[in-house]
């Protein structure tokens, strides 16, 4: 009995040490790039829109935005909680990176990947907020996407928790609430996954889709009650598509964002190399495991 207890305590200590190292890894690049945060002009765009919402204004009606308003509402809530100060918004970057890294670590743990700590450690360095020195919709959208993937893996262990399936359906809409293009792709892919591949009871799938429809309906009711549906469609889709007519190829690497505006980034080449190796190792890992993956169409 004592041996089992000491073993359990030892595992707890090991887990805490691993989480501490992952916290350190996920803090490295936000700390480096945040030293330049005042140089990026979009910071004013995000902070101003968040401040407007905190003062009672509504996106698409009281001010123009071509993006989904999720990041603005995050800023607004932080302002309402802590006052008109940048520090909590700045700390949000660290929170997103750390929670994303923990989710990745636990996903790999459930996949029984041997080198999960090393992979997660490098993911922490290259996490959602590793390249943007301010609150950013891409990073927030990917954050909720990672949480969604974690919940999908977690639900494999708790197939009877119908409320959690409902919550996961709600979460599947959150990437769209932050940024429409990432969110639309997320909804389409996750829905196809749930319909044709994900193995669970039909009732659980119904709870998932009910949660997603509930989130979508709530959002449209939110827009309708503020007379914003027409302006939302105009700016989020028609204008946004027309303004993004260039190729997406140069923006595959997030670091291109900083280079595009001629900002000096001391570790740019290092991050290109890290991305290259992450892609290569991920591809090799996929090839190794592909024989064990079962696909149903």
């Amino acid at each position: 009995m004592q041996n089992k207890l000491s073993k359990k305590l030892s595992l707890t200590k090991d887990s805490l040490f691993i989480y501490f190292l992952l916290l350190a890894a996920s803090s490295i690049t936000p700390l480096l790039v945040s030293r330049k945060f005042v140089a990026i002009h979009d910071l004013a765009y995000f902070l101003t829109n968040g401040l407007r919402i905190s003062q009672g204004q509504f996106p698409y009606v009281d001010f123009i935005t071509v993006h989904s308003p999720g990041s603005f509402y995050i800023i607004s809530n932080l302002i309402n909680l802590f006052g008109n100060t940048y520090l909590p918004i700045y700390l949000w970057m660290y929170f997103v990176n750390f929670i994303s890294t923990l989710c990745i670590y636990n996903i790999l743990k459930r996949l029984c990947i041997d080198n999960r700590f090393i992979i997660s450690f490098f993911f922490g360095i290259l996490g959602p907020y590793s390249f943007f020195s301010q609150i950013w919709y891409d990073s927030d959208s990917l954050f909720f996407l990672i949480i969604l993937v974690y919940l999908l893996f977690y639900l494999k262990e708790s197939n009877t928790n119908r409320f959690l399936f409902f919550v996961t359906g709600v979460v599947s809409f959150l990437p769209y609430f932050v940024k429409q293009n990432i969110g639309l792709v997320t909804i389409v892919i996750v829905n196809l996954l749930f319909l044709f591949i994900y193995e669970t009871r039909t009732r659980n799938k119904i709870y998932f889709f009910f949660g997603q429809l509930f989130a979508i309906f709530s959002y449209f009711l939110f827009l309708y009650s503020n007379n914003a549906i027409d302006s939302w469609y105009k700016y989020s889709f028609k204008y946004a598509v027309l303004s993004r007519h260039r190729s997406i190829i140069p923006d595959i690497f997030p670091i291109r964002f900083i280079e595009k505006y001629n900002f000096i980034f001391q570790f740019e080449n290092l991050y290109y190399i890290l991305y290259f190796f992450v892609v290569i190792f991920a591809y090799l890992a996929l090839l190794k495991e592909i024989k064990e993956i079962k696909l149903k169409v």
Side-chain angles (χ1 to χ4, degrees):
M1 180 71 178
Q2 186 175 358
N3 290 334
K4 288 183 179 180
L5 181 60
S6 61
K7 186 176 180 181
K8 185 175 180 181
L9 291 174
S10 177
L11 286 173
T12 303
K13 291 179 181 178
D14 291 343
S15 299
L16 289 174
F17 182 64
I18 288 173
Y19 289 163
F20 174 78
L21 291 178
L22 293 179
L23 173 62
S26 62
S27 302
I28 292 173
T29 43
L31 183 62
L32 291 174
V33 300
S34 61
R35 296 167 64 186
K36 298 282 186 179
F37 77 91
V38 293
I40 300 180
H41 63 271
D42 280 335
L43 176 62
Y45 170 69
F46 280 89
L47 293 181
T48 301
N49 288 344
L51 182 62
R52 283 171 167 168
I53 292 175
S54 71
Q55 294 174 346
Q57 294 188 24
F58 192 83
Y60 310 115
V61 176
D62 298 308
F63 61 92
I64 295 173
T65 175
V66 297
H67 311 110
S68 295
S71 292
F72 307 143
Y73 276 95
I74 291 172
I75 295 174
S76 172
N77 288 325
L78 290 173
I79 290 174
N80 289 334
L81 285 172
F82 301 102
N84 191 9
T85 172
Y86 184 69
L87 180 60
I89 301 167
Y90 171 70
L91 294 177
W92 170 257
M93 302 189 324
Y94 291 84
F95 174 79
V96 167
N97 255 28
F98 179 52
I99 299 301
S100 299
T101 304
L102 285 187
C103 287
I104 292 296
Y105 176 77
N106 283 285
I107 289 169
L108 296 176
K109 187 176 181 180
R110 284 170 169 79
L111 288 172
C112 299
I113 303 298
D114 293 333
N115 297 320
R116 55 183 174 269
F117 170 73
I118 297 175
I119 297 172
S120 302
F121 187 87
F122 279 102
F123 173 85
I125 297 176
L126 302 171
Y129 267 109
S130 293
F131 298 98
F132 299 111
S133 59
Q134 61 182 55
I135 195 165
W136 196 254
Y137 42 68
D138 284 13
S139 302
D140 293 336
S141 188
L142 291 174
F143 170 56
F144 291 115
L145 174 56
I146 291 169
I147 291 177
L148 171 63
V149 174
Y150 169 74
L151 286 173
L152 291 174
F153 276 92
Y154 181 80
L155 283 172
K156 300 296 287 186
E157 301 174 0
S158 57
N159 255 328
T160 57
N161 194 330
R162 296 168 186 169
F163 177 72
L164 194 54
F165 275 94
F166 174 85
V167 170
T168 304
V170 173
V171 172
S172 71
F173 176 74
L174 292 183
Y176 175 88
F177 183 63
V178 177
K179 196 178 183 191
Q180 60 267 45
N181 54 353
I182 295 176
L184 286 174
V185 173
T186 299
I187 290 172
V188 170
I189 291 177
V190 172
N191 286 359
L192 290 174
L193 175 73
F194 247 81
L195 285 171
F196 300 112
I197 298 177
Y198 199 82
E199 295 181 356
T200 187
R201 296 177 181 177
T202 302
R203 185 174 295 179
N204 293 335
K205 294 185 178 184
I206 292 174
Y207 274 89
F208 169 83
F209 285 114
F210 180 69
Q212 187 182 92
L213 290 173
F214 173 80
I216 294 173
F217 175 78
S218 299
Y219 183 63
F220 275 98
L221 183 63
F222 178 60
L223 293 171
Y224 177 79
S225 62
N226 288 276
N227 298 315
I229 289 183
D230 290 339
S231 54
W232 160 78
Y233 177 74
K234 175 183 177 181
Y235 293 116
S236 292
F237 290 96
K238 295 177 70 174
Y239 178 80
V241 170
L242 290 174
S243 64
R244 290 297 181 100
H245 58 276
R246 58 184 174 80
S247 172
I248 64 169
I249 298 301
D251 292 326
I252 289 177
F253 291 100
I255 198 67
R256 294 285 294 182
F257 171 82
I258 296 177
E259 183 186 9
K260 184 167 60 177
Y261 293 104
N262 297 319
F263 292 125
I264 297 174
F265 189 70
Q266 186 176 358
F267 305 98
E268 177 180 343
N269 292 330
L270 172 62
Y271 281 96
Y272 274 125
I273 294 171
L274 283 173
Y275 255 101
F276 175 76
F277 279 109
V278 166
V279 170
I280 294 298
F281 288 139
Y283 182 67
L284 292 175
L286 178 62
L287 288 178
K288 182 180 178 181
E289 303 293 333
I290 198 71
K291 294 181 181 180
E292 301 178 13
I293 297 175
K294 296 180 181 180
L295 297 178
K296 297 190 304 180
V297 178

